Amino acid sequence: MSDLNLMLACPRGLETVLSDEVRAITGKTALIDKGMVRLPQANREDMYRLNLHVRTASRIVMQLARGAIKTEDDVYRLARAVPWQNHFTPENTIKVHCEGRGARVKSLNFIALKVKDALCDAFRDSDGRRPSVDKAAPDVRIEVFLNDKEAFIYLDTSGEALFKRGYRRETGDAPLRENLAAGLLLLAGYDGSQAFFDPMCGSGTLPIEAALIASRRAPGLQRSFAFEKLKGFDAALWQKIRAAAQAAHITPPAPLYAADRSSVALKHALENARAAGVDDVIRFNRGELSAQHAPTEAGLLLCNPPYGERLGELDEIRAEYPSWSSCLKQEFAGWTAGFITADTEFPRRLRLAPQRKIPLYNGALECRLYLFEMVAGSNRKVKETPQDT
């Protein structure tokens, strides 16, 4: 397999973080675009390592074709010229998905059908048979993207979206996707060497992702990938990469804590942490943020509080901000405190000035990650650490 032109999609706002990850994993520089980064000269090993290790990507696809288009027939011809037989066989099931931005076509679904027809015609000519379509659980996913001038055809190397790590058993209301949670941690400067505390942990995504980072666990170790079903799959190389990832595990050098006021949420968080293999390194505690005490002299407090769009009325949530602020000032001096929220008035109503304000998206919802440096007070004493549940 010659050089691969890879595209790694991510939540908007995490492009730079993802680019840094790509460099750390492959030693190569990725090109940053909106909602993605590109790695135009990757190889098979890069593709395997990225799917296994990258924390902030949503999906990794390989570009197969790019061309100017004016009509639907141009898309068919572009797809018909792809050497599909080099990538998979007629025994593999397929699904074609099409998206567009400013595309001058009547129907994106019709474009997907055109690409499927071109693919099947190519296999009929070469093999005398064609792959079957499976919209629920295909072996091979083909992604098509159209703008006003060009079409791009990609082969998905990931399969299920990369934020589906394989550990989530239970969810609460509006849980963060795992790759966004990892991105928030990396944006906040978390590397596992500092203490971590999520006082509104919900189903546990943030503390679990923090534990995976702190213990150097590859996020993809519990799942399979689409590239394992493609032609040219190097099973020996893949097992070598996986074995190296498993051997890299360490005991987190700093403690991790999580809390929530809901006993149901804590039950879900503990079940998810157990499924992820990190339940032994996170200490869970039931309680409100306003009643928490700093478990160590310094660390990172990071959480995804309800912000109106998600769990309740915004006015009711804002009424809690003063108690949060009081707790942060009195109990968490010396800590960095981070909150992701869609409430643009959050810092003013919290009566704290953020040191950093980072725009990003939680799905389609525009949010900000606010990071506050809580100034250490000379008379503050560390209180008793939260008790395990």
Side-chain angles (χ1 to χ4, degrees):
M1 188 177 290
S2 57
D3 282 350
L4 309 180
N5 188 355
L6 299 182
M7 187 271 283
L8 296 81
C10 67
R12 284 181 289 172
L14 297 185
E15 295 90 347
T16 299
V17 173
L18 177 54
S19 176
D20 291 342
E21 280 199 278
V22 171
R23 184 180 299 107
I25 294 167
T26 69
K28 299 176 181 178
T29 300
L31 309 175
I32 296 177
D33 206 338
K34 186 177 181 180
M36 70 180 75
V37 304
R38 299 182 182 277
L39 193 63
Q41 292 184 315
N43 56 37
R44 181 188 286 112
E45 184 171 351
D46 294 332
M47 185 252 287
Y48 292 178
R49 290 185 182 279
L50 286 168
N51 272 288
L52 180 63
H53 287 282
V54 76
R55 300 183 188 277
T56 57
S58 304
R59 189 175 297 280
I60 302 175
V61 297
M62 178 197 326
Q63 183 174 302
L64 300 182
R66 173 183 181 178
I69 59 166
K70 291 184 179 179
T71 69
E72 287 84 352
D73 288 338
D74 292 333
V75 179
Y76 175 90
R77 284 188 286 270
L78 183 68
R80 185 66 178 77
V82 172
W84 300 102
Q85 302 84 353
N86 293 348
H87 302 290
F88 56 95
T89 73
E91 283 74 30
N92 293 118
T93 57
I94 63 168
K95 178 182 179 180
V96 181
H97 175 252
C98 183
E99 294 186 2
R101 187 180 301 125
R104 298 175 182 176
V105 295
K106 294 181 180 179
S107 168
L108 293 175
N109 288 335
F110 184 63
I111 293 295
L113 181 62
K114 280 286 189 180
V115 172
K116 187 268 294 181
D117 288 344
L119 183 160
C120 291
D121 289 346
F123 271 106
R124 282 195 189 96
D125 287 351
S126 65
D127 293 62
R129 52 206 172 99
R130 47 153 287 183
S132 298
V133 172
D134 183 346
K135 294 184 178 180
D139 297 329
V140 178
R141 290 175 168 88
I142 295 97
E143 302 286 338
V144 184
F145 179 80
L146 271 61
N147 59 31
D148 60 338
K149 296 179 181 179
E150 291 183 300
F152 301 80
I153 300 175
Y154 301 100
L155 183 63
D156 181 15
T157 73
S158 301
E160 289 279 8
L162 291 176
F163 59 78
K164 296 183 179 181
R165 315 286 204 219
Y167 65 71
R168 180 171 279 177
R169 301 293 186 269
E170 302 287 348
T171 61
D173 295 301
L176 281 178
R177 285 183 172 177
E178 292 86 334
N179 60 332
L180 177 56
L184 296 175
L185 288 158
L186 297 175
L187 283 170
Y190 183 76
D191 62 7
S193 64
Q194 60 271 69
F196 174 81
F197 183 30
D198 179 356
M200 302 181 190
C201 71
S203 58
T205 307
L206 271 169
I208 291 171
E209 290 296 317
L212 293 177
I213 291 172
S215 58
R216 298 181 186 172
R217 293 174 183 251
L221 272 175
Q222 291 184 290
R223 53 162 290 167
S224 60
F225 299 92
F227 64 72
E228 297 175 65
K229 296 183 178 180
L230 297 179
K231 274 189 174 180
F233 171 60
D234 189 334
L237 174 60
W238 176 231
Q239 289 306 314
K240 179 181 177 181
I241 292 170
R242 281 180 51 85
Q246 290 170 330
H249 293 180
I250 64 169
T251 299
L256 296 99
Y257 303 91
D260 200 278
R261 61 188 176 190
S262 166
S263 59
V264 174
L266 284 176
K267 178 177 179 290
H268 291 170
L270 184 57
E271 290 173 354
N272 289 335
R274 186 176 296 116
V278 295
D279 56 306
D280 59 333
V281 299
I282 304 171
R283 297 184 64 182
F284 291 96
N285 164 46
R286 185 181 176 189
E288 303 275 352
L289 167 57
S290 57
Q292 298 295 334
H293 305 300
T296 61
E297 285 286 353
L300 172 66
L301 180 154
L302 184 64
C303 63
N304 173 38
Y307 34 89
E309 297 282 344
R310 198 177 61 151
L311 295 178
E313 296 297 328
L314 184 57
D315 287 343
E316 294 179 7
I317 296 165
R318 284 174 170 172
E320 298 187 45
Y321 290 178
S323 65
W324 298 357
S325 179
S326 177
C327 177
L328 292 173
K329 292 173 183 176
Q330 295 176 18
E331 302 293 340
F332 286 87
W335 281 60
T336 297
F339 297 81
I340 178 177
T341 177
D343 184 1
T344 56
E345 295 189 25
F346 182 77
R348 182 178 68 82
R349 291 178 177 271
L350 201 66
R351 296 184 179 180
L352 292 173
Q355 273 63 48
R356 295 178 67 195
K357 179 176 68 175
I358 305 169
L360 39 73
Y361 283 79
N362 184 358
L365 186 63
E366 185 175 4
C367 298
R368 298 288 187 275
L369 172 62
Y370 296 101
L371 294 172
F372 307 88
E373 298 296 334
M374 307 309 298
V375 178
S378 58
N379 296 320
R380 186 182 68 83
K381 295 182 179 180
V382 176
K383 303 293 180 68
E384 183 179 352
T385 57
Q387 297 300 305
D388 296 345
T389 55

